Amino acid sequence: MTFSAKRHAKTIATVCLSGTLDDKLVAAAHAGFDGVELFEPDLIASTSSANQVREQCEDLGLEIVLYQPFRDLDSTDPEQFRRNLKRLDRKFDVMAELGAGLILVCSNASADAVTDLDELATQLRAAGDLAQRRGMRIAYEALAWGSTVNLWQQSWDAVSRADHPAVGLCLDSFHILSRSSALANLDEVPGDKIFFVQLADAPHKDMDVLQWSRHYRLFPGEGAFDLTAFTKAVLKAGYRGPLSLEVFNDVFRQASPVRTAIDAVRSLEALAADLDERRTPSRIHAAFIELSVTPTNLASAERALTALGFSRAAKHRSKPVAVWTQNDATILVSVSTDAAEDDSTSIAAIGFETDDPSRVAAAAEGLHVAALPRVVRPGEADLPAVAAPDGVSVFFVSADRDPLDWRRDFESEPSINAVFDGGISGIDHISVTAPFDRYDECVLFYRSVLGMLTEEVAEYPGPYGLVRSHLLRTRDSSGFGVALDGPLLRRGRWSPGVQTPQHIALTTRDIIGTVSKMSSDAPMLQISANYYDDLQARLDLTDEFVSTLMRHNILYDRRAGGEYLHAYTTVIGSQVYFEIVERRGDYRGRPVADAPIRMAAHVAARRGKATSNSVPPSG
Amino acid sequence: MTFSAKRHAKTIATVCLSGTLDDKLVAAAHAGFDGVELFEPDLIASTSSANQVREQCEDLGLEIVLYQPFRDLDSTDPEQFRRNLKRLDRKFDVMAELGAGLILVCSNASADAVTDLDELATQLRAAGDLAQRRGMRIAYEALAWGSTVNLWQQSWDAVSRADHPAVGLCLDSFHILSRSSALANLDEVPGDKIFFVQLADAPHKDMDVLQWSRHYRLFPGEGAFDLTAFTKAVLKAGYRGPLSLEVFNDVFRQASPVRTAIDAVRSLEALAADLDERRTPSRIHAAFIELSVTPTNLASAERALTALGFSRAAKHRSKPVAVWTQNDATILVSVSTDAAEDDSTSIAAIGFETDDPSRVAAAAEGLHVAALPRVVRPGEADLPAVAAPDGVSVFFVSADRDPLDWRRDFESEPSINAVFDGGISGIDHISVTAPFDRYDECVLFYRSVLGMLTEEVAEYPGPYGLVRSHLLRTRDSSGFGVALDGPLLRRGRWSPGVQTPQHIALTTRDIIGTVSKMSSDAPMLQISANYYDDLQARLDLTDEFVSTLMRHNILYDRRAGGEYLHAYTTVIGSQVYFEIVERRGDYRGRPVADAPIRMAAHVAARRGKATSNSVPPSG
């Protein structure tokens, strides 16, 4: 490829952001956008005149690259078409005041849409003549729900038949990818006939495409569409205009526009890095998890780690931090004295090993991720770190014995705990609760800054509401996972569950061996006997196997290709717990159907209710 | 009709309610349900054994009327079908412990579903034999997304071919009404072959039926389905079993189960009243609105009312309440000294005139609506009142000169304000903000307690997020409306708009006359010039008409059959404003597309920003 994404202006439609037009423009400029698509309803509601908006944009350094949308231009009724042209001419008046030269005309979605493509081309040509007289241009777009034109190929057919210098195409990734229309022949379109490109990602949704488009769009890299391939195709076709975001999203509409705009520009920077093949190195590897505990929870955390077979291997030279290890699993336990925080026992940090920590940290800053200040004493490693939007700190460390080796800050100590190998071999994943307004930003963070890939998106019912889950994994062979969990709806005042649960899932190759070695007072979570009864009915397992699982409070799931056996500890402090996981065969993702069982068991444990595992399963 | 809805047990599926199984059972019993459908995942997650659940239900006076769901019974693979029967037999073990005798088997939604109806009937018969041996019965239900069976007629076909005493039908209103399947021939089904009836309402949604069913179901009377006709049909067919609610709803899943259960039982009571033709009298008529103002806002409220042409006509004999009138519009202004409330300037009450206030109040109590305590002095009217779930008090008053005539508490006074008739003739509607968790409960309240009918359901974008709106209207000729507005998503911490806006919309037959009579310092809201520019472009109006509208800050909408002209005041206190409305022709509903314009203008007024109406619209 010879193109560079850097050459293209980065712009955003005002409809992506919350607030009045003033708020939106200020936020877009603050985030560093080069310009905006002016969404007409934002202008109409604004108390600023078109002239005032032009001046404000000039002051903010924003170009108005597109005025949009103009609906239902063509008509089967000549008189109506005449009125539509008059309406278009009035919009050109407004655009002249705004200093905007390009208008988006979307395909007619009404019953009055012209069905004959030659007639449509004739009407587009008439509109093009009008535009040309006014010094304007028209970008014609196929809405996915247009009456006649709903595929980009049809819009190109109409535009090429119109054959007018002032009439070109607008390509919107949502309208194209939501219909799965092939991009293969996009390079047949001359680059200079693509007047505008709008980028939006989206999650997979089995729903009406109009509702999907108007409520669930996401910034590139936050959803399930391949925006890199899409953008590559339009750039390859020779498109030279802005890369512009047009995202309708219910959550973004009510979130801080300043934050949303920064998230938006990050999505374009990450896309540009992908296009220019400046990817995050795939060699990134999770080296440790840091658990921050309150002084009162320290003893329970240490008891749990010891019960699981961890040993305290080293302590920090100057801070109250200890390293606990077991084979390839490393957990730092730091004592937090921040009494202001209720939930201050939490997963505080992830340490990622990489060949060049400083370069990865610099790339993160290029993605508008804030670097974390570090207090470093003489002789200590000065580790670059950034803040993930879920509140976890991400450290970049080196595997080599260099100044960025975090291990140099610790001195090993003869273990003060009884040492046994529980068979824990590493960390499968952690889960954290993503803040409601920043869920999609979290997904983009892990994908763009750390190059992680989505393994599974799921939804499950908890006792106090539905939960959504997005599991991402690093590309290295050990495949460390981060699961972003969060309520499907923002919680209200009535909210009796754990607000922001977090957990660390530890890998074992033999879970029955691991739990058998544990002492009887290990803080393992008791699972309902009803679960085992149903498990046996569902999966037709042997009595012996089910009673082994039940005796050890192990949950079980089977999918084509693999099995997943797992057990939990009770909650340490108010939100953190451990999971022990054995994956057999090729089991990808997590058994989310087991989550409600675990959650109900945690509620019962919290309420101090005895479980009834003494009752054997029927059969 | 000779049936009475009162004869049927009222039951609820545990999946309707939030919490653990314990929480759900306690809430159902507290609300007065006779029994529950036990949703299997609730039992499986529970730490109580089946025996313990049976005992708990007995203690609570709840019968377990159904165990559900059993999925994918039939199979094209005989070996798989044998395993499915074994699984069913294990569930009969659980049911025996629970003391439950009826299981819901839903139509197979997998690729393995039997397609031949005779073969399906054979398998159902085999399952019926097994059930009969265990003293159990099977209610077979057509899921709307079943592979072979997805209409109730198909499920009846299968059940009648199976011809087994232990195999009958389960009819679920959602699965039937979501597919619009005709109910006409339901009376061909013998009543004793309808083993179970599940009731759920739902809003109209253009979406995948499975997602619609699993996320958006509502209690009867809260959605768009005709549950009265449905229930009438099943009762007419001779069904004798429980009327049972099965509602999957994302909001209810995370709301207090105690409140939800009361809302649920109210929906069944209201349905029963409809079926037994014990309806709310249609003669209910809005007599007054009470505006409660803080002492600091009193002057602005009085200034606004005076500017609109209201006169202070009477004052309360013992309380700081004044009556302001203009033709048939009556607004009580009471001074609240409750300094604890930030938003204590608010719509405090609606007074409804009816022939028999005490009977209507008693009917409301029958619907589990809490009566409000009243402090009544000697000689004052003791008006029955109830609390609407949106926080407004609803008073029931009499039109006659009897002890329930509220007017007796007031003495008229020579108006202290300049009197002019602004042409306001009545109250078109009020709008209030429904609490997020209680939105659907509010709809049911106004429908069931006051017999109001839905006029329009809509959604519109505000500057800080999407808003949904549900307009209900009384059945009397004056047709008083209550619009329930509220954010589509629960608001988070970043929430700069007015949290709980409310307004009073006043009727005029000549809005231009009304606003022309106002003094120049009337607190009218200035509307953006851009709005008028677009209005003219959209609707092809004359320059003269548009400039009249603009001069008076009047918004305009046109629909087939009618026009809607309206103007607003600025906000009094922190949340209340007035609207003046002229409906021309037959304009139903509200012009929700104008709402964003009004909201942006209110934001600008709040920020003290001058509008630019001095700039004439182009053209």
Side-chain angles (χ1 to χ4, degrees), chain B residues 323-348:
Chain B
V323 178
W324 290 73
T325 60
Q326 184 174 180
N327 302 311
D328 284 339
T330 302
I331 295 174
L332 273 55
V333 178
S334 62
V335 179
S336 154
T337 50
D338 183 359
E341 292 289 323
D342 277 352
D343 289 330
S344 50
T345 289
S346 61
I347 297 176

PDB file of all heavy atoms in Angstrom, chain B residues 323-348:
ATOM      1  N   VAL B 323     -56.591  30.319  44.054  1.00  0.00           N
ATOM      2  CA  VAL B 323     -57.149  29.777  42.815  1.00  0.00           C
ATOM      3  C   VAL B 323     -56.962  30.814  41.718  1.00  0.00           C
ATOM      4  O   VAL B 323     -57.395  31.958  41.866  1.00  0.00           O
ATOM      5  CB  VAL B 323     -58.656  29.462  42.967  1.00  0.00           C
ATOM      6  CG1 VAL B 323     -59.217  28.943  41.640  1.00  0.00           C
ATOM      7  CG2 VAL B 323     -58.891  28.457  44.081  1.00  0.00           C
ATOM      8  N   TRP B 324     -56.316  30.414  40.641  1.00  0.00           N
ATOM      9  CA  TRP B 324     -56.144  31.279  39.470  1.00  0.00           C
ATOM     10  C   TRP B 324     -56.968  30.676  38.344  1.00  0.00           C
ATOM     11  O   TRP B 324     -56.894  29.475  38.085  1.00  0.00           O
ATOM     12  CB  TRP B 324     -54.666  31.345  39.062  1.00  0.00           C
ATOM     13  CG  TRP B 324     -53.821  32.106  40.036  1.00  0.00           C
ATOM     14  CD1 TRP B 324     -53.427  31.710  41.278  1.00  0.00           C
ATOM     15  CD2 TRP B 324     -53.269  33.408  39.840  1.00  0.00           C
ATOM     16  NE1 TRP B 324     -52.663  32.678  41.877  1.00  0.00           N
ATOM     17  CE2 TRP B 324     -52.541  33.735  41.012  1.00  0.00           C
ATOM     18  CE3 TRP B 324     -53.312  34.327  38.789  1.00  0.00           C
ATOM     19  CZ2 TRP B 324     -51.873  34.942  41.162  1.00  0.00           C
ATOM     20  CZ3 TRP B 324     -52.638  35.529  38.919  1.00  0.00           C
ATOM     21  CH2 TRP B 324     -51.926  35.837  40.116  1.00  0.00           C
ATOM     22  N   THR B 325     -57.762  31.520  37.696  1.00  0.00           N
ATOM     23  CA  THR B 325     -58.618  30.975  36.637  1.00  0.00           C
ATOM     24  C   THR B 325     -58.561  31.837  35.381  1.00  0.00           C
ATOM     25  O   THR B 325     -58.208  33.020  35.421  1.00  0.00           O
ATOM     26  CB  THR B 325     -60.098  30.900  37.063  1.00  0.00           C
ATOM     27  OG1 THR B 325     -60.548  32.225  37.372  1.00  0.00           O
ATOM     28  CG2 THR B 325     -60.298  29.994  38.261  1.00  0.00           C
ATOM     29  N   GLN B 326     -58.921  31.190  34.295  1.00  0.00           N
ATOM     30  CA  GLN B 326     -59.146  31.883  33.032  1.00  0.00           C
ATOM     31  C   GLN B 326     -60.070  30.967  32.243  1.00  0.00           C
ATOM     32  O   GLN B 326     -59.663  29.852  31.873  1.00  0.00           O
ATOM     33  CB  GLN B 326     -57.821  32.116  32.298  1.00  0.00           C
ATOM     34  CG  GLN B 326     -58.018  32.926  31.014  1.00  0.00           C
ATOM     35  CD  GLN B 326     -56.697  33.290  30.335  1.00  0.00           C
ATOM     36  OE1 GLN B 326     -56.682  33.921  29.307  1.00  0.00           O
ATOM     37  NE2 GLN B 326     -55.576  32.905  30.911  1.00  0.00           N
ATOM     38  N   ASN B 327     -61.313  31.391  32.052  1.00  0.00           N
ATOM     39  CA  ASN B 327     -62.318  30.551  31.394  1.00  0.00           C
ATOM     40  C   ASN B 327     -62.348  29.183  32.079  1.00  0.00           C
ATOM     41  O   ASN B 327     -62.489  29.117  33.296  1.00  0.00           O
ATOM     42  CB  ASN B 327     -62.066  30.493  29.889  1.00  0.00           C
ATOM     43  CG  ASN B 327     -62.077  31.902  29.280  1.00  0.00           C
ATOM     44  OD1 ASN B 327     -63.009  32.659  29.549  1.00  0.00           O
ATOM     45  ND2 ASN B 327     -61.043  32.276  28.539  1.00  0.00           N
ATOM     46  N   ASP B 328     -62.147  28.083  31.324  1.00  0.00           N
ATOM     47  CA  ASP B 328     -62.229  26.768  31.970  1.00  0.00           C
ATOM     48  C   ASP B 328     -60.889  26.243  32.475  1.00  0.00           C
ATOM     49  O   ASP B 328     -60.772  25.057  32.819  1.00  0.00           O
ATOM     50  CB  ASP B 328     -62.839  25.750  31.004  1.00  0.00           C
ATOM     51  CG  ASP B 328     -64.346  25.950  30.890  1.00  0.00           C
ATOM     52  OD1 ASP B 328     -64.924  26.567  31.809  1.00  0.00           O
ATOM     53  OD2 ASP B 328     -64.925  25.490  29.893  1.00  0.00           O
ATOM     54  N   ALA B 329     -59.885  27.076  32.517  1.00  0.00           N
ATOM     55  CA  ALA B 329     -58.585  26.635  33.046  1.00  0.00           C
ATOM     56  C   ALA B 329     -58.469  27.082  34.501  1.00  0.00           C
ATOM     57  O   ALA B 329     -58.634  28.260  34.800  1.00  0.00           O
ATOM     58  CB  ALA B 329     -57.452  27.228  32.220  1.00  0.00           C
ATOM     59  N   THR B 330     -58.220  26.124  35.382  1.00  0.00           N
ATOM     60  CA  THR B 330     -58.097  26.441  36.808  1.00  0.00           C
ATOM     61  C   THR B 330     -56.771  25.912  37.326  1.00  0.00           C
ATOM     62  O   THR B 330     -56.470  24.715  37.182  1.00  0.00           O
ATOM     63  CB  THR B 330     -59.249  25.795  37.609  1.00  0.00           C
ATOM     64  OG1 THR B 330     -60.489  26.280  37.070  1.00  0.00           O
ATOM     65  CG2 THR B 330     -59.150  26.150  39.089  1.00  0.00           C
ATOM     66  N   ILE B 331     -55.988  26.814  37.903  1.00  0.00           N
ATOM     67  CA  ILE B 331     -54.703  26.417  38.469  1.00  0.00           C
ATOM     68  C   ILE B 331     -54.651  26.887  39.909  1.00  0.00           C
ATOM     69  O   ILE B 331     -54.860  28.070  40.201  1.00  0.00           O
ATOM     70  CB  ILE B 331     -53.529  27.017  37.654  1.00  0.00           C
ATOM     71  CG1 ILE B 331     -53.546  26.419  36.238  1.00  0.00           C
ATOM     72  CG2 ILE B 331     -52.191  26.744  38.342  1.00  0.00           C
ATOM     73  CD1 ILE B 331     -52.532  27.029  35.291  1.00  0.00           C
ATOM     74  N   LEU B 332     -54.420  25.952  40.825  1.00  0.00           N
ATOM     75  CA  LEU B 332     -54.236  26.306  42.227  1.00  0.00           C
ATOM     76  C   LEU B 332     -52.753  26.585  42.439  1.00  0.00           C
ATOM     77  O   LEU B 332     -51.904  25.799  41.974  1.00  0.00           O
ATOM     78  CB  LEU B 332     -54.668  25.149  43.139  1.00  0.00           C
ATOM     79  CG  LEU B 332     -56.146  25.086  43.532  1.00  0.00           C
ATOM     80  CD1 LEU B 332     -57.052  25.079  42.316  1.00  0.00           C
ATOM     81  CD2 LEU B 332     -56.404  23.885  44.425  1.00  0.00           C
ATOM     82  N   VAL B 333     -52.452  27.658  43.093  1.00  0.00           N
ATOM     83  CA  VAL B 333     -51.052  27.948  43.412  1.00  0.00           C
ATOM     84  C   VAL B 333     -50.902  27.846  44.929  1.00  0.00           C
ATOM     85  O   VAL B 333     -51.510  28.623  45.674  1.00  0.00           O
ATOM     86  CB  VAL B 333     -50.636  29.349  42.919  1.00  0.00           C
ATOM     87  CG1 VAL B 333     -49.191  29.646  43.318  1.00  0.00           C
ATOM     88  CG2 VAL B 333     -50.794  29.450  41.402  1.00  0.00           C
ATOM     89  N   SER B 334     -50.138  26.863  45.374  1.00  0.00           N
ATOM     90  CA  SER B 334     -49.938  26.712  46.815  1.00  0.00           C
ATOM     91  C   SER B 334     -48.487  27.034  47.132  1.00  0.00           C
ATOM     92  O   SER B 334     -47.583  26.753  46.326  1.00  0.00           O
ATOM     93  CB  SER B 334     -50.289  25.292  47.262  1.00  0.00           C
ATOM     94  OG  SER B 334     -49.451  24.366  46.628  1.00  0.00           O
ATOM     95  N   VAL B 335     -48.259  27.636  48.267  1.00  0.00           N
ATOM     96  CA  VAL B 335     -46.897  27.992  48.637  1.00  0.00           C
ATOM     97  C   VAL B 335     -46.347  26.910  49.562  1.00  0.00           C
ATOM     98  O   VAL B 335     -46.922  26.612  50.599  1.00  0.00           O
ATOM     99  CB  VAL B 335     -46.841  29.370  49.317  1.00  0.00           C
ATOM    100  CG1 VAL B 335     -45.410  29.707  49.708  1.00  0.00           C
ATOM    101  CG2 VAL B 335     -47.397  30.430  48.382  1.00  0.00           C
ATOM    102  N   SER B 336     -45.271  26.310  49.109  1.00  0.00           N
ATOM    103  CA  SER B 336     -44.647  25.236  49.882  1.00  0.00           C
ATOM    104  C   SER B 336     -43.462  25.798  50.643  1.00  0.00           C
ATOM    105  O   SER B 336     -42.643  26.523  50.091  1.00  0.00           O
ATOM    106  CB  SER B 336     -44.175  24.139  48.931  1.00  0.00           C
ATOM    107  OG  SER B 336     -43.108  23.439  49.523  1.00  0.00           O
ATOM    108  N   THR B 337     -43.385  25.464  51.911  1.00  0.00           N
ATOM    109  CA  THR B 337     -42.245  25.948  52.691  1.00  0.00           C
ATOM    110  C   THR B 337     -41.292  24.801  53.002  1.00  0.00           C
ATOM    111  O   THR B 337     -40.457  24.885  53.869  1.00  0.00           O
ATOM    112  CB  THR B 337     -42.730  26.594  54.004  1.00  0.00           C
ATOM    113  OG1 THR B 337     -43.621  25.667  54.625  1.00  0.00           O
ATOM    114  CG2 THR B 337     -43.459  27.887  53.719  1.00  0.00           C
ATOM    115  N   ASP B 338     -41.447  23.724  52.222  1.00  0.00           N
ATOM    116  CA  ASP B 338     -40.575  22.569  52.425  1.00  0.00           C
ATOM    117  C   ASP B 338     -39.220  22.854  51.796  1.00  0.00           C
ATOM    118  O   ASP B 338     -38.963  22.536  50.640  1.00  0.00           O
ATOM    119  CB  ASP B 338     -41.226  21.341  51.789  1.00  0.00           C
ATOM    120  CG  ASP B 338     -40.393  20.094  52.035  1.00  0.00           C
ATOM    121  OD1 ASP B 338     -39.321  20.207  52.664  1.00  0.00           O
ATOM    122  OD2 ASP B 338     -40.815  19.015  51.607  1.00  0.00           O
ATOM    123  N   ALA B 339     -38.366  23.475  52.574  1.00  0.00           N
ATOM    124  CA  ALA B 339     -37.073  23.932  52.055  1.00  0.00           C
ATOM    125  C   ALA B 339     -36.143  22.771  51.733  1.00  0.00           C
ATOM    126  O   ALA B 339     -35.140  22.935  51.047  1.00  0.00           O
ATOM    127  CB  ALA B 339     -36.411  24.866  53.057  1.00  0.00           C
ATOM    128  N   ALA B 340     -36.476  21.568  52.201  1.00  0.00           N
ATOM    129  CA  ALA B 340     -35.597  20.416  51.988  1.00  0.00           C
ATOM    130  C   ALA B 340     -35.567  20.015  50.519  1.00  0.00           C
ATOM    131  O   ALA B 340     -34.609  19.416  50.042  1.00  0.00           O
ATOM    132  CB  ALA B 340     -36.072  19.243  52.834  1.00  0.00           C
ATOM    133  N   GLU B 341     -36.607  20.368  49.796  1.00  0.00           N
ATOM    134  CA  GLU B 341     -36.718  19.925  48.415  1.00  0.00           C
ATOM    135  C   GLU B 341     -36.129  20.958  47.472  1.00  0.00           C
ATOM    136  O   GLU B 341     -36.584  22.097  47.430  1.00  0.00           O
ATOM    137  CB  GLU B 341     -38.196  19.720  48.062  1.00  0.00           C
ATOM    138  CG  GLU B 341     -38.845  18.566  48.789  1.00  0.00           C
ATOM    139  CD  GLU B 341     -38.328  17.212  48.286  1.00  0.00           C
ATOM    140  OE1 GLU B 341     -38.090  17.097  47.071  1.00  0.00           O
ATOM    141  OE2 GLU B 341     -38.147  16.304  49.109  1.00  0.00           O
ATOM    142  N   ASP B 342     -35.166  20.548  46.682  1.00  0.00           N
ATOM    143  CA  ASP B 342     -34.585  21.452  45.703  1.00  0.00           C
ATOM    144  C   ASP B 342     -35.617  21.872  44.664  1.00  0.00           C
ATOM    145  O   ASP B 342     -35.692  23.017  44.273  1.00  0.00           O
ATOM    146  CB  ASP B 342     -33.444  20.753  44.958  1.00  0.00           C
ATOM    147  CG  ASP B 342     -32.163  20.827  45.758  1.00  0.00           C
ATOM    148  OD1 ASP B 342     -32.157  21.533  46.782  1.00  0.00           O
ATOM    149  OD2 ASP B 342     -31.187  20.179  45.363  1.00  0.00           O
ATOM    150  N   ASP B 343     -36.376  20.860  44.199  1.00  0.00           N
ATOM    151  CA  ASP B 343     -37.294  21.128  43.098  1.00  0.00           C
ATOM    152  C   ASP B 343     -38.708  21.279  43.615  1.00  0.00           C
ATOM    153  O   ASP B 343     -39.650  20.757  43.036  1.00  0.00           O
ATOM    154  CB  ASP B 343     -37.234  19.987  42.084  1.00  0.00           C
ATOM    155  CG  ASP B 343     -35.925  20.002  41.322  1.00  0.00           C
ATOM    156  OD1 ASP B 343     -35.372  21.105  41.150  1.00  0.00           O
ATOM    157  OD2 ASP B 343     -35.480  18.933  40.904  1.00  0.00           O
ATOM    158  N   SER B 344     -38.854  22.004  44.729  1.00  0.00           N
ATOM    159  CA  SER B 344     -40.186  21.992  45.314  1.00  0.00           C
ATOM    160  C   SER B 344     -41.170  22.894  44.587  1.00  0.00           C
ATOM    161  O   SER B 344     -42.338  22.919  44.935  1.00  0.00           O
ATOM    162  CB  SER B 344     -40.136  22.274  46.814  1.00  0.00           C
ATOM    163  OG  SER B 344     -39.376  23.408  47.064  1.00  0.00           O
ATOM    164  N   THR B 345     -40.743  23.624  43.564  1.00  0.00           N
ATOM    165  CA  THR B 345     -41.738  24.206  42.669  1.00  0.00           C
ATOM    166  C   THR B 345     -42.058  23.150  41.623  1.00  0.00           C
ATOM    167  O   THR B 345     -41.197  22.773  40.826  1.00  0.00           O
ATOM    168  CB  THR B 345     -41.229  25.510  42.018  1.00  0.00           C
ATOM    169  OG1 THR B 345     -41.185  26.525  43.028  1.00  0.00           O
ATOM    170  CG2 THR B 345     -42.150  25.967  40.895  1.00  0.00           C
ATOM    171  N   SER B 346     -43.286  22.640  41.716  1.00  0.00           N
ATOM    172  CA  SER B 346     -43.624  21.470  40.891  1.00  0.00           C
ATOM    173  C   SER B 346     -45.131  21.338  40.757  1.00  0.00           C
ATOM    174  O   SER B 346     -45.883  21.988  41.495  1.00  0.00           O
ATOM    175  CB  SER B 346     -43.083  20.202  41.549  1.00  0.00           C
ATOM    176  OG  SER B 346     -43.683  20.038  42.822  1.00  0.00           O
ATOM    177  N   ILE B 347     -45.537  20.503  39.821  1.00  0.00           N
ATOM    178  CA  ILE B 347     -46.962  20.160  39.720  1.00  0.00           C
ATOM    179  C   ILE B 347     -47.251  19.195  40.863  1.00  0.00           C
ATOM    180  O   ILE B 347     -46.745  18.082  40.882  1.00  0.00           O
ATOM    181  CB  ILE B 347     -47.280  19.520  38.355  1.00  0.00           C
ATOM    182  CG1 ILE B 347     -47.009  20.539  37.236  1.00  0.00           C
ATOM    183  CG2 ILE B 347     -48.721  19.018  38.314  1.00  0.00           C
ATOM    184  CD1 ILE B 347     -47.204  19.996  35.834  1.00  0.00           C
ATOM    185  N   ALA B 348     -48.024  19.675  41.832  1.00  0.00           N
ATOM    186  CA  ALA B 348     -48.225  18.881  43.047  1.00  0.00           C
ATOM    187  C   ALA B 348     -49.422  17.959  42.933  1.00  0.00           C
ATOM    188  O   ALA B 348     -49.417  16.873  43.507  1.00  0.00           O
ATOM    189  CB  ALA B 348     -48.421  19.807  44.247  1.00  0.00           C
TER     190      ALA B 348
END
